[in-house]
Amino acid sequence: MKLVSIAAIATAIVQILFYFNVFWSMFKGAKAGDNPWEATTLEWTIPSPPPHDNFAGVVPTVYRGPYEFSVPGASKDFLMQSEPDSAEVPAGLGEIGGNGDHNGHKH
């Protein structure tokens, strides 16, 4: 019986700390940026909250896969899907093969 009482008191104290942290973060905490986790996928290239049509009528160009982390020789630890390499060929130029669908994506 004593163990259960101690566990209940400890749980209540931890809950008080949790709610204190929640309210402190809501009113006094620092605001997170548009991409606080440095994710590389397209949804992190738009502002938060996203506009009604997400990409404002512009179809983004994709230069690489969604999980480009720890790329050798890269200036950052990650590469966004929508950022071309410095030596990247402009979209639509020099694309080889494929299905004739030259919509700006690398083949």
Side-chain angles (χ1 to χ4, degrees):
M1 188 68 145
K2 190 175 184 180
L3 178 64
V4 174
S5 297
I6 292 171
I9 291 169
T11 301
I13 291 171
V14 170
Q15 290 296 313
I16 291 169
L17 289 173
F18 170 76
Y19 284 112
F20 172 78
N21 187 26
V22 167
F23 287 109
W24 180 268
S25 298
M26 283 174 42
F27 299 111
K28 299 288 186 179
K31 300 291 183 195
D34 284 342
N35 189 358
W37 296 281
E38 296 183 338
T40 62
T41 52
L42 291 176
E43 63 268 16
W44 293 102
T45 61
I46 58 176
S48 180
H52 178 67
D53 59 352
N54 286 345
F55 296 103
V58 177
V59 177
T61 302
V62 177
Y63 294 97
R64 62 186 53 82
Y67 304 110
E68 299 291 331
F69 296 102
S70 300
V71 177
S75 61
K76 299 181 285 189
D77 188 40
F78 64 96
L79 297 173
M80 296 293 291
Q81 281 186 300
S82 58
E83 293 177 358
D85 291 335
S86 58
E88 187 80 19
V89 175
L93 297 178
E95 293 182 3
I96 299 174
N99 55 8
D101 180 23
H102 298 286
N103 57 2
H105 298 268
K106 283 177 65 175
H107 294 281

